[in-house]
Amino acid sequence: MSIAGKQLRIRHIPGPLGVRGRNSDNGLIARELNWVPSAPLEQGLRSIYEWVDSQVQASVAVADHGSK
């Protein structure tokens, strides 16, 4: 929410619980693939959010232009 600049109220609603959590073993990834992330998670999420948002905005602009 902070990356998107949104403030939302989170409210739990009853429903299936599903998986309670997932964790990656980045040490295993580094050893087996000889790869480590080049950016912190928040920075990567911010980049992805900004790209997705630009795609959505471009799509909306095209749709708005086509309806005139």
Side-chain angles (χ1 to χ4, degrees):
M1 287 186 296
S2 65
I3 290 171
K6 307 287 183 192
Q7 290 187 356
L8 303 171
R9 194 179 99 213
I10 298 174
R11 181 173 52 102
H12 175 74
I13 59 173
L17 294 178
V19 177
R20 292 208 178 255
R22 296 183 189 270
N23 295 304
S24 67
D25 181 351
N26 292 344
L28 177 63
I29 292 169
R31 284 190 305 279
E32 295 297 320
L33 301 179
N34 196 30
W35 178 86
V36 294
S38 59
L41 177 61
E42 185 174 348
Q43 182 181 342
L45 289 174
R46 184 175 303 281
S47 292
I48 291 168
Y49 176 82
E50 290 170 358
W51 180 83
V52 169
D53 186 53
S54 72
Q55 299 301 300
V56 169
Q57 296 306 318
S59 177
V60 168
V62 167
D64 287 347
H65 182 70
S67 65
K68 291 181 181 178

